[in-house]
Amino acid sequence: MALIVHKYGGTSMGSTERIRNVAKRVAKWHRAGHQMVVVPSAMSGETNRLLALAKELAPATHTTEYARELDMIAATGEQVSVGLLSIALQAEGLQAVSYAGWQVPIKTDSAYTKARIESIDDARVRADLAAGKIVIITGFQGVDAQGNITTLGRGGSDTSAVAVAAAMKADECLIYTDVDGVYTTDPRIVPEARRLHTISFEEMLEMASLGSKVLQIRSVEFAGKYRVPLRVLSSFTPWDIPIEEEAKSGTLITFEEDEKMEKAVVSGIAFNRDEAKITVMGVPDKPGIAYQILGTVADANIDVDVILQNVSHEGKTDFSFTVHRNDYAKTIDLLNSKVVPALGAEKVVGDPKICKVSIVGIGMRSHVGVAATMFRALSEEGINIQMITTSEIKTSVVIDEKYMELAVRALHKAFDLDQDAA
């Protein structure tokens, strides 16, 4: 008997018919002898509907008190889901009980709308499992030290499920979603993209941080910290497929770097079109410049991604970096008003129409010439690289946005990602 956590997204919970199918799937696993904890999202579109109501009534200034009430409202979406799923399981003749995050309790900090999980008390859940019940827990939410309901931010149900699996030392956490696993890249851009049977935790973390939308990055971080085996699989396969087949489907995110994984130098290609590039030109080349520019940006709560400082020429240099496209105008204004006058820089120029394309693979550690293959593939397509950043298992380039799909396709082909490594 294994302890298994299932997580179902909003699409899987989108109607009573779909909830009934989820119940039948969970019942199948339970009848196979497993202890089952299920973490469902709110029904698709429900959280948006609730928050839109709040927005209509919102005060002009968004205070902490307002954020607290947003969490109070948003948390009800999952509360409805767990109750409905519990009832559907009871209709299957099984014992099921649902809990809101505060009843478990899942304890978080007090950062409303983006709280972080601090601890989970699993005594109540374990007692129910020992009594043969299926336990359904709301995703996306918890409770702070003062007893206020908190939510974990978008995609928070993934994080809740992994955190519950970690706290209970589950044998595996299965994330059911509307895709059937992790692909070498987005199949909408490269039809030849291939589903990976396994991917290492490190690679998944890089893919998630670089733009792959399959899993929320915090859930991957959690899985890595507590070594929770994660599987991403489709909730749209028939619920009655044999459990042995289902248990091996999708993509397993693993910590075991087996020999087969070592064969693939590059496992996947991630891309992100939400980037903008900013260059501060004619900056005096002296110690502390990077801090003076980026410190001001960081103080305004703006995340900086790729950074590039050019070679000094006659005591002056150009300093470039990328930010999220939503922060582009704000960053330009900030630099013009505070940094340029303070540093005596010449001017600030920017380009909001860039994107970042990255190759990821643990095999890059032990293979030379990977970056060269990437650069050759891009140059053969006439794609100019504006910035480059590397880590042990990834290389990212910043290019003109209009070349993004061409770049992804060219790299997918250059690294033979359409060929199965098996």
Side-chain angles (χ1 to χ4, degrees):
M1 181 198 283
L3 170 56
I4 304 287
V5 176
H6 277 197
K7 185 264 169 177
Y8 292 92
T11 329
S12 316
M13 300 293 293
S15 65
T16 50
E17 189 50 43
R18 286 188 179 169
I19 291 171
R20 193 174 284 121
N21 284 336
V22 167
K24 287 181 185 299
R25 194 184 297 273
V26 172
K28 175 182 74 178
W29 281 75
H30 178 77
R31 288 182 182 126
H34 299 301
Q35 290 188 320
M36 297 300 298
V37 177
V38 188
V39 179
S41 296
M43 295 173 81
S44 54
E46 185 61 10
T47 307
N48 287 344
R49 185 186 73 83
L50 293 165
L51 293 176
L53 293 173
K55 201 172 172 187
E56 279 185 46
L57 301 166
T61 338
H62 291 182
T63 58
T64 308
E65 290 75 15
Y66 170 67
R68 178 194 182 278
E69 302 311 328
L70 284 181
D71 279 1
M72 190 67 145
I73 294 159
T76 63
E78 277 72 16
Q79 208 168 308
V80 171
S81 279
V82 293
L84 291 174
L85 182 53
S86 199
I87 289 168
L89 281 159
Q90 289 165 14
E92 288 287 317
L94 298 170
Q95 285 184 292
V97 58
S98 69
Y99 292 120
W102 61 268
Q103 291 174 302
V104 174
I106 294 170
K107 293 175 180 162
T108 72
D109 60 19
S110 302
Y112 301 116
T113 74
K114 49 177 188 296
R116 287 190 172 267
I117 295 173
E118 290 178 343
S119 66
I120 295 177
D121 183 345
D122 62 353
R124 191 172 186 177
V125 177
R126 283 198 187 278
D128 284 330
L129 292 173
K133 294 178 185 175
I134 296 170
V135 180
I136 325 286
I137 302 173
T138 52
F140 175 63
Q141 62 186 260
V143 61
D144 72 5
Q146 288 73 46
N148 299 304
I149 289 174
T150 56
T151 69
L152 310 179
R154 282 303 177 162
S157 294
D158 283 357
T159 308
S160 303
V162 176
V164 166
M168 304 198 65
K169 299 190 167 43
D171 294 271
E172 199 164 292
C173 178
L174 278 62
I175 309 269
Y176 286 88
T177 176
D178 48 8
V179 294
D180 63 348
V182 180
Y183 278 72
T184 48
T185 194
D186 189 335
R188 288 170 298 190
I189 289 181
V190 184
E192 301 78 25
R194 196 170 40 78
R195 180 171 60 81
L196 298 163
H197 302 294
T198 56
I199 185 171
S200 75
F201 151 73
E202 285 178 276
E203 289 169 325
M204 191 66 236
L205 192 58
E206 287 284 12
M207 295 276 278
S209 68
L210 295 167
S212 170
K213 304 283 191 293
V214 178
L215 282 176
Q216 197 221 23
I217 186 162
R218 267 164 63 196
S219 70
V220 184
E221 287 169 348
F222 235 104
K225 189 172 174 187
Y226 297 102
R227 298 186 84 75
V228 178
L230 270 186
R231 187 177 291 276
V232 179
L233 63 173
S234 170
S235 60
F236 294 123
T237 54
W239 66 266
D240 55 356
I241 61 169
I243 195 163
E244 302 74 24
E245 187 186 324
E246 188 170 3
K248 291 194 177 97
S249 66
T251 302
L252 178 67
I253 297 155
T254 176
F255 303 90
E256 315 306 324
E257 294 182 9
D258 62 28
E259 288 163 26
K260 193 171 112 186
M261 288 167 73
E262 286 297 326
K263 279 187 199 166
V265 180
V266 171
S267 292
I269 296 165
F271 53 86
N272 184 359
R273 57 174 104 233
D274 299 329
E275 305 244 339
K277 182 174 87 163
I278 294 170
T279 304
V280 185
M281 300 185 75
V283 178
D285 188 18
K286 58 184 191 200
I289 285 299
Y291 170 69
Q292 283 180 267
I293 296 172
L294 298 179
T296 309
V297 173
D299 290 344
N301 223 4
I302 296 166
D303 282 332
V304 169
D305 186 13
V306 186
I307 301 166
L308 177 71
Q309 184 167 343
N310 290 344
V311 177
S312 171
H313 183 67
E314 293 178 359
K316 299 266 186 174
T317 186
D318 297 339
F319 191 90
S320 302
F321 58 95
T322 64
V323 294
H324 193 283
R325 206 169 284 185
N326 293 347
D327 292 322
Y328 176 68
K330 182 179 169 187
T331 310
I332 295 265
D333 290 347
L334 185 71
L335 293 171
N336 279 325
S337 61
K338 291 194 173 171
V339 174
V340 171
L343 290 181
E346 285 166 21
K347 61 178 175 179
V348 176
V349 295
D351 180 3
K353 288 191 163 49
I354 55 133
C355 68
K356 183 172 71 176
V357 176
S358 314
I359 56 172
V360 177
I362 51 172
M364 290 167 68
R365 284 187 184 135
S366 49
H367 289 75
V368 295
V370 180
T373 302
M374 181 187 200
F375 303 150
R376 186 180 70 239
L378 294 175
S379 90
E380 283 171 357
E381 296 294 345
I383 299 169
N384 184 41
I385 298 170
Q386 300 180 22
M387 301 167 88
I388 301 167
T389 175
T390 63
S391 78
E392 213 181 7
I393 66 164
K394 73 132 200 290
T395 301
S396 299
V397 294
V398 170
I399 59 173
D400 193 312
E401 184 188 29
K402 68 184 178 199
Y403 295 123
M404 188 188 83
E405 295 192 11
L406 177 63
V408 172
R409 283 195 287 268
L411 292 170
H412 199 269
K413 195 157 180 260
F415 290 103
D416 296 324
L417 288 177
D418 48 349
Q419 313 291 321
D420 201 321

